[in-house]
Amino acid sequence: MTADDIIRVAVTVSLVQVGCDLLARYMIFQKEPYQRAVSTLERRKAQYDKLVKEFEGKTGKQQEKVKKRMDRAKDDLGEAKSAVAAKHTTPGMLTSIAFVLLFRILGTEHSGKVMAVLPFQPLSLMRKVTLRGLDFGGDMGFNIFKESPGVQSVHQACSLMFIYLLCNMGVKFYVHRLVGQQTPEGVGGIMALAENPKIAKGLKEMGLDPDELKQD
């Protein structure tokens, strides 16, 4: 149970995230198809915003005519958003797989080790994560753990699972914000795919409301 183990896990998570982001940038985001998709999105967004302003300045039948054009522009914009979101979906899925494999590798290396001692006793539900995979036998076990200052209960032990989750929510997130390719403003996440009129129609035929999915 040393700080070196925790730092090593955090650094490994950072390096893997950087590698995934750089690979995605080289394989997808710097390629012409992605650049063209983003350019199309920007152009259609500008067209839609222009029609919205025109609609607000009209009244009566003139407004109805603009409304029809605005609806078509909205569908075109949704299709463009879907195309860009699809480009981000594949690297996101591959990165998730990479981190599942990384957890398996780290789990083998740190199996049964107490990675840290929490300054409090977590609730029973939280212990299912913090104590998962711990083995209090051997050199890295309870004999060392119980001698740590401030330890009142074995439930304060912390396994790799908890450290890995914290690294994924903190280190991995901020590394991706710094290095990774962010989705253009207004595109959102994977649910932007539902803004494609064809996909939205298919979801409705299956009894799903695309608007409710995007809200979730």
Side-chain angles (χ1 to χ4, degrees):
M1 181 184 62
T2 64
D4 289 341
D5 288 329
I6 298 176
I7 293 174
R8 193 176 300 113
V9 171
V11 170
T12 302
V13 168
S14 299
L15 292 176
V16 171
Q17 183 62 52
V18 169
C20 290
D21 285 334
L22 293 180
L23 185 62
R25 186 182 295 273
Y26 175 75
M27 297 294 294
I28 297 177
F29 301 126
Q30 290 183 345
K31 299 297 183 180
E32 193 272 338
Y34 178 78
Q35 300 296 332
R36 186 171 62 248
V38 173
S39 177
T40 300
L41 171 65
E42 293 174 349
R43 186 171 61 255
R44 291 183 177 178
K45 185 177 185 303
Q47 291 173 348
Y48 178 72
D49 291 342
K50 181 179 179 181
L51 286 172
V52 170
K53 291 181 180 180
E54 184 179 346
F55 176 81
E56 293 173 350
K58 301 291 184 178
T59 57
K61 293 183 178 181
Q62 291 181 330
Q63 205 173 49
E64 292 180 4
K65 293 180 180 180
V66 177
K67 180 66 167 55
K68 293 180 180 178
R69 293 163 55 200
M70 191 170 67
D71 288 341
R72 288 195 297 270
K74 184 177 181 180
D75 287 342
D76 291 340
L77 177 59
E79 186 177 347
K81 286 183 179 181
S82 177
V84 174
K87 298 291 185 181
H88 285 265
T89 300
T90 299
M93 293 176 59
L94 294 178
T95 298
S96 298
I97 293 173
F99 274 91
V100 170
L101 296 176
L102 176 62
F103 179 71
R104 296 294 297 271
I105 294 171
L106 293 175
T108 301
E109 180 182 352
H110 299 284
S111 177
K113 290 183 181 180
V114 177
M115 297 291 292
V117 178
L118 299 175
F120 59 92
Q121 295 186 44
L123 299 175
S124 58
L125 182 62
M126 187 177 178
R127 291 174 199 163
K128 294 181 180 180
V129 177
T130 59
L131 297 176
R132 183 171 178 177
L134 285 183
D135 179 6
F136 294 112
D139 294 338
M140 293 299 295
F142 185 63
N143 289 334
I144 294 178
F145 167 67
K146 69 180 181 180
E147 296 174 359
S148 300
V151 176
Q152 299 177 350
S153 170
V154 70
H155 293 148
Q156 291 176 246
C158 180
S159 68
L160 171 68
M161 170 68 82
F162 189 64
I163 299 298
Y164 191 73
L165 285 177
L166 290 180
C167 287
N168 272 266
M169 291 187 294
V171 177
K172 178 178 180 294
F173 173 79
Y174 286 108
V175 169
H176 178 62
R177 294 285 295 181
L178 290 172
V179 182
Q181 178 73 35
Q182 305 301 315
T183 55
E185 184 179 355
V187 172
I190 190 174
M191 291 316 302
L193 296 174
E195 295 195 37
N196 186 314
K198 294 180 180 179
I199 296 178
K201 181 179 179 181
L203 290 173
K204 289 180 179 179
E205 290 177 352
M206 292 187 293
L208 299 174
D209 188 340
D211 293 331
E212 291 183 358
L213 291 175
K214 285 184 285 187
Q215 291 175 358
D216 294 337

